[in-house]
Amino acid sequence: NIGAVNDFNVLLEQARGDYFMWTSDSIVRGNTFIEKAVARFSSNPRLVLVSCRFTQRDEKTGKDKIFDPRLSVPLEKTLYRRLKQHTLFYWSDGKGVPIYGIWDKKKIAGDKLGSCGEWTLDTRFIFRALSRGEADIIDENLLLKLTKDRAAALVLRNNDPISRLWRALRYRLKRVLREHFYCSGTVGFVWSIGELSFYERLKLTLWHVWVGVRFFLTRKN
């Protein structure tokens, strides 16, 4: 057992096909997802990623949450606007969902999610990949992720004042750390993208700073 992150990285490193996707035992895809995604790649060689509408289902309650792919997959054609759009997406709208899309293998070859213990591995990988190509969506509900609402179960078990305070503090800390690791992990990469002008790199850096500040101005994450 080498751990989930290393497992993801080894799989990408050893993959040999023209297209690539990650999956897990909690992911269920529609029968036509791969077929329709490959058709999108065939019609647009500039693509690096094809994703789709995505549903998250709580296995215990059966409650579904449907994510709008336009809020997690940037459809801008120009490099700067595409990276800016991804930077400003909210986590709660499924910012990391596109990691389970289908990728052009040659455009992500040599990259990896990162090392075990790092935060925001999926969103940083997506950001880097978007610097190498455009993204597209299949506007159909072709991907389902099964989850267990552990947070809700914890609330039911521990609803005393001390537990509520601890959950609130932990939630805030998690949000702060997540924003910090995402911003610090992508700003350095921004300055390595030669296709961007100095002014565009500076603006993207400031947009990353704004994402960190936004945490203190809104409850949405």
Side-chain angles (χ1 to χ4, degrees):
N1 185 348
I2 60 174
V5 175
N6 288 329
D7 188 38
F8 270 51
N9 288 330
V10 168
L11 185 63
L12 175 58
E13 180 184 347
Q14 295 185 358
R16 296 292 179 264
D18 293 331
Y19 307 108
F20 174 83
M21 71 178 184
W22 281 296
T23 192
S24 73
D25 58 356
S26 63
I27 296 292
V28 181
R29 288 184 170 86
N31 293 335
T32 60
F33 178 49
I34 295 176
E35 174 188 353
K36 291 181 177 180
V38 170
R40 297 294 179 95
F41 281 114
S42 299
S43 64
N44 184 359
R46 298 185 301 277
L47 291 177
V48 65
L49 166 69
V50 175
S51 189
C52 67
R53 192 172 289 276
F54 169 87
T55 298
Q56 182 172 286
R57 175 173 299 164
D58 185 330
E59 291 184 279
K60 185 174 182 179
T61 65
K63 184 178 180 180
D64 286 353
K65 178 180 179 181
I66 300 177
F67 292 86
D68 184 346
R70 295 175 186 84
L71 300 179
S72 61
V73 180
L75 300 178
E76 294 286 353
K77 304 302 181 185
T78 62
L79 176 58
Y80 166 75
R81 294 178 67 87
R82 185 165 64 246
L83 296 180
K84 174 188 172 182
Q85 189 179 11
H86 180 267
T87 299
L88 296 179
F89 281 148
Y90 285 92
W91 301 90
S92 55
D93 288 330
K95 190 171 184 173
V97 169
I99 199 72
Y100 287 111
I102 295 185
W103 301 89
D104 182 328
K105 176 61 170 59
K106 63 181 177 295
K107 289 186 174 70
I108 60 172
D111 204 344
K112 63 179 183 177
L113 284 181
S115 303
C116 291
E118 294 184 35
W119 287 51
T120 67
L121 298 177
D122 49 359
T123 49
R124 283 187 279 163
F125 180 92
I126 295 167
F127 184 88
R128 294 193 301 271
L130 291 170
S131 72
R132 306 178 191 116
E134 300 172 11
D136 198 2
I137 57 173
I138 304 166
D139 198 11
E140 298 179 43
N141 203 331
L142 296 173
L143 195 149
L144 171 70
K145 181 173 177 58
L146 303 174
T147 64
K148 291 182 174 63
D149 193 347
R150 297 182 178 87
L154 187 63
V155 169
L156 291 176
R157 291 198 304 270
N158 304 302
N159 204 31
D160 58 276
I162 299 299
S163 296
R164 290 200 302 269
L165 177 61
W166 169 242
R167 285 197 300 271
L169 291 173
R170 187 172 58 181
Y171 173 71
R172 286 277 179 175
L173 181 61
K174 181 179 179 180
R175 286 184 62 183
V176 170
L177 289 176
R178 185 169 58 184
E179 299 291 1
H180 167 74
F181 276 93
Y182 172 73
C183 295
S184 61
T186 53
V187 167
F189 179 75
V190 163
W191 287 92
S192 71
I193 304 174
E195 294 84 353
L196 294 172
S197 68
F198 175 84
Y199 185 49
E200 288 173 330
R201 290 181 231 180
L202 178 60
K203 287 193 294 182
L204 279 175
T205 300
L206 294 177
W207 282 122
H208 278 84
V209 173
W210 162 247
V211 168
V213 172
R214 187 175 65 183
F215 160 75
F216 296 99
L217 303 178
T218 176
R219 289 181 60 86
K220 186 172 182 179
N221 61 1

